[in-house]
Amino acid sequence: MFEIIQAAITGGAALALLVLAGITLGGSAVGLAVTTPLFVIFSPILVPATIATALLATGFTASGSIGAMAITIFMWLFKKITGKNPPKIPFLTPKNPTTEGGEKEDKKKEKEKKDE
């Protein structure tokens, strides 16, 4: 009985989503038909603006990637030259879960020994 109810609810939800998808597709088609003349009229402005936006986004992405790579290389050089890890920034570096868990277990064992 439960499977029948579950199948009916699932079928109803699927049908509702299918109707919603059809309405969305229809709305998108109407929107495209309305805005196409505007795109044709304003294309001398939109095309260069799109190219400029794409170039800016590419530049920002490349800049961030190159900066991250440079920091990684500097950290590697620091480790290579000094033989130790760079200094940790408080509250920004994650704690090592293995040592933290080990300390908790040690405290639990000490507490159990005291209780005995």
XYZ file of all heavy atoms in Angstrom:
848
model
N 0.818 -1.188 0.000
C 0.000 0.000 0.000
C 0.869 1.262 0.000
O 0.564 2.238 -0.677
C -0.912 -0.057 1.238
C -1.847 1.088 1.367
S -3.065 0.996 0.049
C -4.060 2.379 0.420
N 1.968 1.202 0.803
C 2.856 2.355 0.904
C 3.507 2.666 -0.442
O 3.664 3.833 -0.801
C 3.926 2.097 1.974
C 4.922 3.206 2.086
C 4.559 4.432 2.623
C 6.220 3.043 1.634
C 5.475 5.462 2.722
C 7.142 4.069 1.729
C 6.762 5.283 2.276
N 3.868 1.616 -1.196
C 4.508 1.819 -2.494
C 3.566 2.502 -3.477
O 3.999 3.318 -4.292
C 4.994 0.484 -3.078
C 6.180 -0.124 -2.362
C 5.747 -0.944 -1.149
O 4.542 -1.267 -1.020
O 6.615 -1.239 -0.321
N 2.276 2.178 -3.397
C 1.293 2.794 -4.301
C 1.150 4.284 -3.993
O 1.146 5.124 -4.903
C -0.062 2.065 -4.189
C 0.086 0.622 -4.660
C -1.127 2.796 -4.994
C -1.143 -0.222 -4.414
N 1.072 4.613 -2.720
C 0.964 6.021 -2.322
C 2.232 6.771 -2.717
O 2.182 7.893 -3.245
C 0.699 6.131 -0.803
C -0.661 5.530 -0.464
C 0.785 7.573 -0.335
C -0.923 5.405 1.019
N 3.375 6.141 -2.485
C 4.648 6.763 -2.837
C 4.736 6.995 -4.346
O 5.172 8.059 -4.798
C 5.794 5.870 -2.362
C 7.159 6.488 -2.522
C 8.253 5.574 -1.990
O 8.040 4.386 -1.753
N 9.427 6.135 -1.803
N 4.304 6.033 -5.144
C 4.337 6.175 -6.602
C 3.378 7.269 -7.066
O 3.693 8.042 -7.979
C 3.981 4.849 -7.262
N 2.225 7.379 -6.449
C 1.257 8.414 -6.827
C 1.794 9.803 -6.514
O 1.690 10.733 -7.326
C -0.065 8.181 -6.103
N 2.387 9.974 -5.341
C 2.956 11.272 -4.972
C 4.129 11.625 -5.882
O 4.257 12.763 -6.348
C 3.371 11.270 -3.489
C 2.129 11.201 -2.605
C 4.199 12.496 -3.149
C 2.420 11.015 -1.129
N 4.969 10.649 -6.158
C 6.116 10.888 -7.038
C 5.654 11.240 -8.444
O 6.198 12.152 -9.076
C 7.023 9.642 -7.075
O 7.385 9.295 -5.743
C 8.269 9.899 -7.880
N 4.660 10.538 -8.947
C 4.127 10.846 -10.278
C 3.525 12.235 -10.351
O 3.719 12.969 -11.328
N 2.799 12.612 -9.305
C 2.223 13.959 -9.259
C 3.294 15.034 -9.228
O 3.181 16.067 -9.902
N 4.341 14.813 -8.439
C 5.435 15.777 -8.373
C 6.147 15.876 -9.716
O 6.498 16.976 -10.175
C 6.422 15.377 -7.278
N 6.354 14.735 -10.373
C 7.013 14.743 -11.687
C 6.154 15.477 -12.714
O 6.673 16.247 -13.537
C 7.287 13.313 -12.144
N 4.850 15.263 -12.667
C 3.950 15.948 -13.594
C 3.964 17.460 -13.346
O 4.005 18.248 -14.291
C 2.530 15.392 -13.445
C 1.494 15.929 -14.424
C 1.894 15.585 -15.856
C 0.126 15.356 -14.114
N 3.954 17.861 -12.079
C 4.003 19.289 -11.753
C 5.301 19.918 -12.250
O 5.302 21.024 -12.811
C 3.857 19.480 -10.242
N 6.414 19.224 -12.076
C 7.698 19.745 -12.559
C 7.741 19.806 -14.080
O 8.322 20.735 -14.660
C 8.847 18.888 -12.021
C 9.110 19.017 -10.519
C 10.142 17.998 -10.083
C 9.543 20.418 -10.172
N 7.125 18.834 -14.744
C 7.073 18.845 -16.208
C 6.254 20.033 -16.706
O 6.646 20.711 -17.667
C 6.479 17.529 -16.710
C 6.525 17.280 -18.213
C 7.959 17.265 -18.713
C 5.841 15.978 -18.549
N 5.128 20.323 -16.057
C 4.321 21.489 -16.430
C 5.110 22.769 -16.196
O 5.120 23.680 -17.035
C 2.989 21.488 -15.641
C 2.263 22.819 -15.780
C 2.107 20.351 -16.091
N 5.802 22.856 -15.069
C 6.620 24.036 -14.772
C 7.725 24.218 -15.807
O 8.008 25.344 -16.238
C 7.202 23.912 -13.367
C 7.963 25.124 -12.830
C 7.041 26.318 -12.716
C 8.582 24.803 -11.492
N 8.338 23.129 -16.242
C 9.378 23.209 -17.276
C 8.788 23.707 -18.594
O 9.412 24.507 -19.306
C 10.030 21.840 -17.465
N 7.596 23.253 -18.941
C 6.943 23.721 -20.173
C 6.608 25.202 -20.118
O 6.806 25.937 -21.101
N 6.117 25.665 -18.969
C 5.814 27.097 -18.817
C 7.094 27.920 -18.931
O 7.126 28.971 -19.585
C 5.096 27.345 -17.475
C 3.704 26.722 -17.512
C 5.013 28.839 -17.163
C 3.013 26.727 -16.166
N 8.161 27.449 -18.321
C 9.436 28.155 -18.388
C 9.956 28.208 -19.815
O 10.453 29.254 -20.272
C 10.468 27.463 -17.481
O 9.944 27.363 -16.168
C 11.772 28.230 -17.434
N 9.853 27.109 -20.552
C 10.294 27.092 -21.949
C 9.468 28.061 -22.783
O 10.018 28.817 -23.601
C 10.177 25.671 -22.518
C 10.576 25.507 -23.981
C 12.055 25.837 -24.174
C 10.268 24.110 -24.458
N 8.171 28.076 -22.580
C 7.316 29.010 -23.318
C 7.655 30.459 -23.006
O 7.729 31.314 -23.902
N 7.869 30.769 -21.739
C 8.255 32.123 -21.348
C 9.582 32.539 -21.939
O 9.762 33.683 -22.367
N 10.521 31.617 -21.989
C 11.828 31.915 -22.584
C 11.692 32.194 -24.077
O 12.341 33.104 -24.606
C 12.789 30.753 -22.363
O 13.004 30.552 -20.995
N 10.863 31.427 -24.763
C 10.666 31.638 -26.202
C 10.017 32.998 -26.465
O 10.429 33.727 -27.376
C 9.816 30.519 -26.785
N 9.033 33.362 -25.662
C 8.385 34.669 -25.827
C 9.380 35.782 -25.531
O 9.458 36.788 -26.263
C 7.139 34.776 -24.914
C 6.616 36.201 -24.864
C 6.056 33.835 -25.394
N 10.153 35.647 -24.482
C 11.162 36.651 -24.148
C 12.193 36.824 -25.248
O 12.606 37.940 -25.581
N 12.619 35.715 -25.835
C 13.581 35.786 -26.938
C 12.975 36.486 -28.147
O 13.626 37.309 -28.804
C 14.054 34.381 -27.315
C 15.105 34.290 -28.419
C 16.389 34.972 -27.978
C 15.366 32.852 -28.780
N 11.707 36.196 -28.451
C 11.047 36.827 -29.591
C 10.890 38.332 -29.378
O 10.996 39.117 -30.316
C 9.686 36.181 -29.818
N 10.657 38.745 -28.131
C 10.489 40.169 -27.844
C 11.836 40.903 -27.873
O 11.928 42.023 -28.381
C 9.781 40.360 -26.481
C 9.831 41.801 -26.026
C 8.355 39.870 -26.571
N 12.871 40.290 -27.349
C 14.152 40.990 -27.219
C 15.034 40.909 -28.456
O 15.998 41.662 -28.558
C 14.943 40.443 -26.019
O 15.151 39.042 -26.190
C 14.220 40.731 -24.724
N 14.758 40.015 -29.389
C 15.602 39.895 -30.583
C 15.690 41.206 -31.366
O 16.801 41.602 -31.748
C 15.103 38.744 -31.481
O 15.193 37.525 -30.744
C 15.939 38.636 -32.733
N 14.597 41.906 -31.616
C 14.748 43.194 -32.316
C 15.610 44.195 -31.545
O 16.368 44.957 -32.154
C 13.306 43.707 -32.440
C 12.454 42.516 -32.312
C 13.195 41.569 -31.431
N 15.508 44.178 -30.225
C 16.348 45.086 -29.437
C 17.829 44.734 -29.583
O 18.674 45.623 -29.672
C 15.930 45.035 -27.964
C 14.535 45.565 -27.635
C 14.202 45.310 -26.180
C 14.451 47.049 -27.954
N 18.130 43.435 -29.597
C 19.522 43.024 -29.789
C 20.040 43.441 -31.157
O 21.191 43.839 -31.294
C 19.670 41.504 -29.618
C 19.676 41.061 -28.181
C 18.889 40.004 -27.777
C 20.458 41.687 -27.236
C 18.886 39.590 -26.458
C 20.464 41.291 -25.922
C 19.674 40.232 -25.520
N 19.195 43.338 -32.186
C 19.622 43.734 -33.537
C 19.866 45.241 -33.593
O 20.856 45.704 -34.165
C 18.567 43.293 -34.570
C 18.871 43.884 -35.938
C 18.511 41.781 -34.655
N 18.993 46.023 -32.961
C 19.146 47.480 -32.986
C 20.382 47.926 -32.203
O 21.144 48.781 -32.651
C 17.876 48.158 -32.423
C 16.701 47.927 -33.375
C 18.096 49.650 -32.206
C 15.355 48.332 -32.797
N 20.583 47.332 -31.035
C 21.676 47.772 -30.169
C 22.950 46.948 -30.330
O 23.881 47.091 -29.532
C 21.232 47.731 -28.701
C 20.192 48.748 -28.367
C 18.903 48.360 -28.034
C 20.494 50.094 -28.396
C 17.936 49.295 -27.725
C 19.533 51.044 -28.078
C 18.248 50.647 -27.752
N 23.059 46.117 -31.345
C 24.240 45.267 -31.508
C 25.537 46.047 -31.669
O 26.584 45.575 -31.208
C 24.043 44.290 -32.666
O 23.944 44.986 -33.877
N 25.549 47.239 -32.308
C 26.820 47.970 -32.362
C 27.344 48.363 -30.980
O 28.540 48.586 -30.815
C 26.484 49.222 -33.172
C 25.299 48.859 -33.976
C 24.530 47.883 -33.133
N 26.470 48.430 -29.996
C 26.893 48.754 -28.638
C 27.155 47.477 -27.843
O 28.126 47.390 -27.091
C 25.810 49.604 -27.933
C 25.628 50.911 -28.672
C 26.160 49.844 -26.476
C 24.408 51.681 -28.248
N 26.303 46.482 -28.006
C 26.380 45.271 -27.179
C 27.591 44.408 -27.506
O 28.199 43.826 -26.610
C 25.096 44.449 -27.330
C 23.832 45.072 -26.753
C 22.628 44.206 -27.070
C 23.972 45.247 -25.262
N 27.930 44.301 -28.782
C 29.055 43.425 -29.160
C 30.366 43.926 -28.566
O 31.093 43.146 -27.920
C 29.130 43.249 -30.693
C 30.407 42.543 -31.095
C 27.916 42.484 -31.187
N 30.735 45.204 -28.732
C 31.975 45.655 -28.087
C 31.919 45.574 -26.560
O 32.925 45.262 -25.909
C 32.112 47.114 -28.535
C 31.290 47.229 -29.748
C 30.179 46.243 -29.592
N 30.739 45.833 -25.977
C 30.615 45.727 -24.523
C 30.825 44.291 -24.061
O 31.472 44.042 -23.031
C 29.249 46.235 -24.079
N 30.306 43.340 -24.814
C 30.492 41.927 -24.469
C 31.961 41.536 -24.580
O 32.489 40.821 -23.716
C 29.635 41.040 -25.392
O 28.270 41.445 -25.280
C 29.770 39.579 -25.027
N 32.614 41.995 -25.631
C 34.039 41.681 -25.809
C 34.863 42.285 -24.671
O 35.738 41.625 -24.091
C 34.525 42.183 -27.185
C 33.874 41.361 -28.288
C 36.050 42.108 -27.282
C 34.117 41.911 -29.684
N 34.558 43.547 -24.317
C 35.291 44.195 -23.224
C 35.062 43.473 -21.903
O 36.010 43.264 -21.123
C 34.864 45.657 -23.115
N 33.833 43.068 -21.641
C 33.529 42.350 -20.399
C 34.251 41.004 -20.356
O 34.789 40.615 -19.306
C 32.008 42.143 -20.269
O 31.364 43.416 -20.342
C 31.650 41.471 -18.967
N 34.268 40.309 -21.479
C 34.967 39.014 -21.530
C 36.463 39.199 -21.301
O 37.095 38.406 -20.583
C 34.713 38.338 -22.866
N 37.045 40.229 -21.895
C 38.474 40.482 -21.696
C 38.781 40.846 -20.244
O 39.790 40.388 -19.683
C 38.950 41.594 -22.629
C 39.075 41.216 -24.104
C 39.432 42.443 -24.942
C 40.129 40.131 -24.293
N 37.912 41.660 -19.625
C 38.119 42.010 -18.218
C 38.032 40.776 -17.315
O 38.857 40.594 -16.420
C 37.081 43.048 -17.776
C 37.354 44.485 -18.196
C 36.155 45.361 -17.879
C 38.583 45.005 -17.499
N 37.030 39.952 -17.553
C 36.876 38.735 -16.740
C 38.079 37.810 -16.918
O 38.587 37.241 -15.945
C 35.589 38.015 -17.120
N 38.544 37.682 -18.157
C 39.721 36.855 -18.412
C 40.947 37.418 -17.709
O 41.746 36.677 -17.123
C 39.981 36.762 -19.928
O 38.811 36.255 -20.560
C 41.151 35.852 -20.230
N 41.100 38.735 -17.751
C 42.245 39.368 -17.089
C 42.231 39.172 -15.588
O 43.260 38.866 -14.981
N 41.048 39.362 -14.965
C 40.962 39.167 -13.523
C 41.239 37.716 -13.137
O 41.921 37.440 -12.148
C 39.590 39.594 -12.998
C 39.423 41.083 -12.887
C 38.320 41.705 -13.422
C 40.369 41.862 -12.246
C 38.150 43.072 -13.319
C 40.222 43.225 -12.134
C 39.108 43.841 -12.678
N 40.724 36.790 -13.921
C 40.959 35.372 -13.632
C 42.439 35.022 -13.773
O 43.007 34.323 -12.916
C 40.113 34.494 -14.571
O 38.741 34.859 -14.428
C 40.288 33.022 -14.253
N 43.058 35.494 -14.840
C 44.479 35.215 -15.047
C 45.317 35.853 -13.942
O 46.265 35.242 -13.430
C 44.919 35.738 -16.413
N 44.976 37.071 -13.551
C 45.716 37.758 -12.499
C 45.648 36.988 -11.184
O 46.656 36.795 -10.505
C 45.148 39.166 -12.322
O 45.700 39.784 -11.202
N 44.455 36.541 -10.826
C 44.305 35.772 -9.593
C 45.055 34.454 -9.635
O 45.701 34.058 -8.662
N 45.007 33.782 -10.768
C 45.704 32.494 -10.906
C 47.215 32.675 -10.819
O 47.906 31.901 -10.147
C 45.356 31.844 -12.241
O 43.975 31.626 -12.327
N 47.723 33.694 -11.493
C 49.174 33.933 -11.472
C 49.622 34.342 -10.069
O 50.681 33.917 -9.592
C 49.550 34.992 -12.524
C 49.344 34.405 -13.920
C 50.980 35.464 -12.358
C 49.453 35.415 -15.038
N 48.819 35.158 -9.378
C 49.152 35.543 -8.002
C 49.180 34.345 -7.069
O 50.080 34.213 -6.238
N 48.200 33.458 -7.193
C 48.174 32.251 -6.353
C 49.377 31.357 -6.647
O 49.980 30.778 -5.737
C 46.875 31.488 -6.579
N 49.744 31.265 -7.917
C 50.913 30.464 -8.282
C 52.185 31.081 -7.713
O 53.067 30.363 -7.223
C 51.020 30.354 -9.803
C 52.076 29.368 -10.258
S 52.227 29.265 -12.047
C 50.590 28.848 -12.522
N 52.293 32.416 -7.748
C 53.476 33.077 -7.206
C 53.600 32.841 -5.708
O 54.692 32.548 -5.205
C 53.414 34.576 -7.503
N 52.485 32.926 -4.976
C 52.528 32.672 -3.531
C 52.940 31.234 -3.256
O 53.731 30.956 -2.352
C 51.161 33.003 -2.898
C 50.947 34.513 -2.911
C 51.070 32.459 -1.481
C 49.575 34.937 -2.465
N 52.421 30.305 -4.052
C 52.801 28.902 -3.884
C 54.290 28.700 -4.124
O 54.968 27.982 -3.374
C 51.993 28.024 -4.861
O 50.603 28.234 -4.638
C 52.309 26.551 -4.673
N 54.831 29.346 -5.154
C 56.261 29.217 -5.450
C 57.097 29.824 -4.328
O 58.110 29.257 -3.908
C 56.588 29.860 -6.811
C 55.971 29.015 -7.921
C 58.088 30.001 -7.014
C 56.040 29.658 -9.291
N 56.678 31.005 -3.803
C 57.418 31.619 -2.703
C 57.403 30.727 -1.466
O 58.422 30.600 -0.766
C 56.851 33.000 -2.360
C 57.276 34.073 -3.309
C 56.354 34.981 -3.791
C 58.589 34.202 -3.713
C 56.730 35.981 -4.671
C 58.985 35.188 -4.583
C 58.059 36.088 -5.071
N 56.268 30.093 -1.174
C 56.205 29.190 -0.025
C 57.129 27.983 -0.235
O 57.813 27.542 0.686
C 54.768 28.741 0.226
C 53.898 29.849 0.785
S 52.217 29.333 1.115
C 52.472 28.099 2.363
N 57.143 27.463 -1.453
C 58.023 26.327 -1.747
C 59.482 26.733 -1.585
O 60.280 25.989 -1.009
C 57.752 25.833 -3.173
C 58.643 24.699 -3.575
C 58.500 23.393 -3.254
C 59.830 24.798 -4.367
N 59.530 22.652 -3.803
C 60.354 23.503 -4.493
C 60.485 25.855 -4.976
C 61.509 23.242 -5.209
C 61.636 25.590 -5.693
C 62.134 24.300 -5.793
N 59.834 27.938 -2.088
C 61.209 28.415 -1.944
C 61.574 28.598 -0.474
O 62.680 28.241 -0.045
C 61.395 29.738 -2.691
C 61.639 29.648 -4.183
C 61.637 31.027 -4.802
C 62.940 28.949 -4.474
N 60.655 29.151 0.311
C 60.919 29.351 1.733
C 61.202 28.015 2.408
O 62.150 27.887 3.189
C 59.718 30.047 2.384
C 59.912 30.356 3.838
C 60.578 31.500 4.224
C 59.422 29.508 4.818
C 60.762 31.792 5.562
C 59.599 29.791 6.152
C 60.272 30.934 6.533
N 60.370 27.012 2.124
C 60.583 25.679 2.708
C 61.896 25.081 2.243
O 62.611 24.448 3.017
C 59.433 24.746 2.329
C 58.147 25.033 3.037
C 57.071 24.067 2.574
C 55.725 24.391 3.162
N 54.686 23.469 2.698
N 62.227 25.283 0.956
C 63.449 24.699 0.388
C 64.684 25.343 1.008
O 65.652 24.650 1.345
C 63.432 24.907 -1.129
C 64.585 24.343 -1.859
C 64.258 22.978 -2.339
C 65.339 22.532 -3.308
N 65.522 21.118 -3.249
N 64.681 26.668 1.152
C 65.865 27.374 1.648
C 66.030 27.209 3.152
O 67.126 26.905 3.637
C 65.790 28.869 1.263
C 65.923 29.006 -0.255
C 66.873 29.668 1.954
C 65.652 30.392 -0.784
N 64.945 27.402 3.918
C 65.062 27.361 5.380
C 64.905 25.955 5.942
O 65.363 25.687 7.048
C 64.020 28.277 6.035
O 62.721 27.802 5.689
C 64.199 29.711 5.598
N 64.238 25.100 5.230
C 64.032 23.740 5.716
C 62.892 23.626 6.716
O 62.748 22.614 7.374
N 62.092 24.690 6.877
C 60.957 24.618 7.795
C 59.749 25.288 7.164
O 59.863 25.994 6.171
C 61.290 25.260 9.137
C 61.881 26.629 9.051
C 62.301 27.091 10.427
C 63.170 28.333 10.308
N 63.604 28.848 11.572
N 58.589 25.054 7.764
C 57.350 25.626 7.249
C 57.292 27.114 7.540
O 57.862 27.586 8.525
C 56.144 24.931 7.869
C 55.990 23.522 7.359
O 56.360 23.221 6.242
N 55.442 22.656 8.192
N 56.583 27.872 6.701
C 56.431 29.304 6.986
C 55.633 29.517 8.266
O 54.903 28.636 8.703
C 55.680 29.834 5.768
C 55.078 28.659 5.114
C 55.912 27.484 5.474
N 55.789 30.693 8.909
C 55.052 30.928 10.160
C 53.547 30.889 9.940
O 53.046 31.311 8.910
C 55.512 32.329 10.583
C 56.187 32.920 9.406
C 56.599 31.809 8.507
N 52.854 30.367 10.932
C 51.401 30.228 10.834
C 50.724 31.523 11.259
O 51.164 32.203 12.172
C 50.921 29.090 11.727
C 51.603 27.771 11.446
C 50.633 26.803 10.866
C 51.238 25.448 10.681
N 51.847 25.225 9.428
N 49.614 31.859 10.591
C 48.834 33.033 10.940
C 47.733 32.574 11.887
O 46.949 31.686 11.548
C 48.229 33.678 9.676
C 49.345 34.069 8.720
C 47.373 34.871 10.045
C 48.845 34.531 7.367
N 47.645 33.172 13.084
C 46.622 32.726 14.042
C 45.211 32.902 13.482
O 44.925 33.875 12.797
C 46.838 33.645 15.250
C 48.188 34.236 15.077
C 48.480 34.222 13.618
N 44.359 31.974 13.768
C 42.948 31.955 13.391
C 42.722 31.773 11.891
O 41.595 31.761 11.450
C 42.218 33.234 13.861
C 42.304 33.451 15.337
C 43.061 34.481 15.856
C 41.635 32.611 16.207
C 43.148 34.680 17.213
C 41.710 32.810 17.575
C 42.472 33.844 18.074
N 43.756 31.665 11.080
C 43.583 31.440 9.652
C 44.048 30.060 9.223
O 43.574 29.525 8.235
C 44.343 32.495 8.832
C 43.725 33.877 8.804
C 44.572 34.802 7.941
C 42.320 33.844 8.260
N 44.995 29.486 9.947
C 45.480 28.159 9.589
C 44.641 27.109 10.305
O 44.385 27.228 11.510
C 46.963 27.991 9.968
O 47.112 28.345 11.338
C 47.845 28.881 9.118
N 44.182 26.093 9.584
C 43.361 25.058 10.232
C 44.194 24.209 11.178
O 45.392 24.010 10.974
C 42.842 24.236 9.043
C 43.805 24.487 7.942
C 44.365 25.856 8.162
N 43.549 23.711 12.218
C 44.225 22.834 13.168
C 44.318 21.439 12.583
O 43.485 21.018 11.796
C 43.465 22.809 14.491
C 43.467 24.136 15.183
C 42.708 24.053 16.480
C 42.722 25.407 17.169
N 41.940 25.396 18.387
N 45.324 20.712 13.012
C 45.505 19.342 12.556
C 44.537 18.451 13.317
O 44.642 18.316 14.536
C 46.955 18.912 12.789
C 47.268 17.598 12.130
O 46.386 16.945 11.589
N 48.525 17.214 12.168
N 43.570 17.838 12.636
C 42.563 17.052 13.365
C 43.132 15.808 14.025
O 42.595 15.342 15.016
C 41.544 16.692 12.283
C 42.263 16.815 10.997
C 43.338 17.849 11.217
N 44.227 15.266 13.504
C 44.763 14.037 14.105
C 45.372 14.333 15.461
O 45.146 13.607 16.414
C 45.817 13.406 13.182
O 46.842 14.374 12.911
C 45.192 12.960 11.880
N 46.121 15.426 15.587
C 46.710 15.727 16.894
C 45.652 16.205 17.864
O 45.688 15.895 19.039
C 47.805 16.804 16.772
O 47.225 17.973 16.194
C 48.943 16.323 15.921
N 44.670 16.952 17.364
C 43.608 17.443 18.243
C 42.812 16.274 18.812
O 42.509 16.225 19.987
C 42.697 18.387 17.460
C 41.678 19.074 18.333
C 40.856 20.074 17.549
O 41.447 20.988 16.974
O 39.624 19.902 17.520
N 42.472 15.316 17.951
C 41.735 14.144 18.412
C 42.561 13.318 19.377
O 42.055 12.797 20.361
N 43.864 13.211 19.101
C 44.739 12.461 19.990
C 44.816 13.090 21.358
O 44.814 12.414 22.384
N 44.873 14.424 21.414
C 44.920 15.107 22.698
C 43.630 14.867 23.479
O 43.656 14.670 24.689
C 45.139 16.609 22.489
C 46.520 16.948 21.968
C 46.649 18.412 21.567
O 45.656 19.157 21.712
O 47.724 18.795 21.111
N 42.494 14.880 22.788
C 41.217 14.649 23.458
C 41.166 13.236 24.033
O 40.703 13.021 25.150
C 40.049 14.863 22.496
C 39.799 16.313 22.168
C 38.634 16.446 21.220
C 38.389 17.887 20.851
N 37.300 18.030 19.893
N 41.666 12.278 23.250
C 41.665 10.901 23.729
C 42.578 10.758 24.940
O 42.262 10.046 25.888
C 42.075 9.952 22.613
C 41.035 9.802 21.520
C 41.505 8.906 20.387
O 42.590 8.294 20.521
O 40.794 8.820 19.386
N 43.749 11.435 24.903
C 44.665 11.367 26.037
C 44.020 11.949 27.292
O 44.159 11.401 28.389
C 45.968 12.118 25.731
C 46.792 11.418 24.660
O 46.577 10.199 24.450
O 47.644 12.083 24.040
N 43.295 13.052 27.142
C 42.626 13.661 28.289
C 41.546 12.734 28.833
O 41.359 12.623 30.042
C 42.026 15.010 27.891
C 43.066 16.073 27.658
C 42.434 17.390 27.249
C 43.489 18.437 26.951
N 42.904 19.711 26.504
N 40.819 12.044 27.936
C 39.792 11.104 28.379
C 40.420 9.955 29.152
O 39.911 9.524 30.191
C 39.012 10.559 27.189
C 38.024 11.528 26.596
C 37.281 10.893 25.434
C 36.347 11.864 24.776
N 35.660 11.261 23.611
N 41.557 9.439 28.657
C 42.227 8.333 29.334
C 42.725 8.762 30.708
O 42.621 8.016 31.688
C 43.388 7.816 28.483
C 42.941 7.054 27.251
C 44.129 6.579 26.434
C 43.673 5.870 25.169
N 44.812 5.454 24.329
N 43.282 9.992 30.786
C 43.751 10.490 32.075
C 42.596 10.626 33.058
O 42.723 10.311 34.242
C 44.451 11.840 31.899
C 45.797 11.745 31.211
C 46.426 13.114 30.991
O 45.931 14.101 31.579
O 47.407 13.182 30.250
N 41.452 11.105 32.577
C 40.281 11.271 33.439
C 39.783 9.915 33.931
O 39.418 9.754 35.096
C 39.179 11.998 32.674
C 38.003 12.357 33.522
C 36.965 13.148 32.734
C 35.777 13.460 33.610
N 34.736 14.181 32.873
N 39.811 8.903 33.049
C 39.378 7.561 33.437
C 40.313 6.977 34.483
O 39.866 6.313 35.422
C 39.319 6.649 32.207
C 38.175 6.960 31.270
C 38.219 6.122 29.997
O 39.157 5.280 29.864
O 37.340 6.286 29.135
N 41.618 7.243 34.346
C 42.584 6.725 35.322
C 42.361 7.371 36.692
O 42.492 6.725 37.728
C 44.011 6.982 34.845
C 44.433 6.087 33.711
C 45.853 6.372 33.286
C 46.265 5.517 32.116
N 47.638 5.798 31.661
N 42.023 8.686 36.685
C 41.785 9.382 37.942
C 40.529 8.855 38.629
O 40.465 8.768 39.853
C 41.643 10.891 37.710
C 42.954 11.549 37.381
C 42.752 13.049 37.137
C 44.051 13.705 36.723
N 43.874 15.144 36.423
N 39.522 8.514 37.835
C 38.282 8.006 38.395
C 38.462 6.649 39.030
O 37.756 6.298 39.980
C 37.191 7.947 37.330
C 36.749 9.325 36.868
O 36.976 10.299 37.618
O 36.176 9.432 35.764
N 39.401 5.865 38.521
C 39.615 4.502 39.039
C 40.411 4.563 40.284
O 40.358 4.572 41.336
C 40.397 3.668 38.034
C 39.629 3.352 36.802
C 40.473 2.605 35.771
O 41.671 2.352 36.020
O 39.938 2.266 34.741
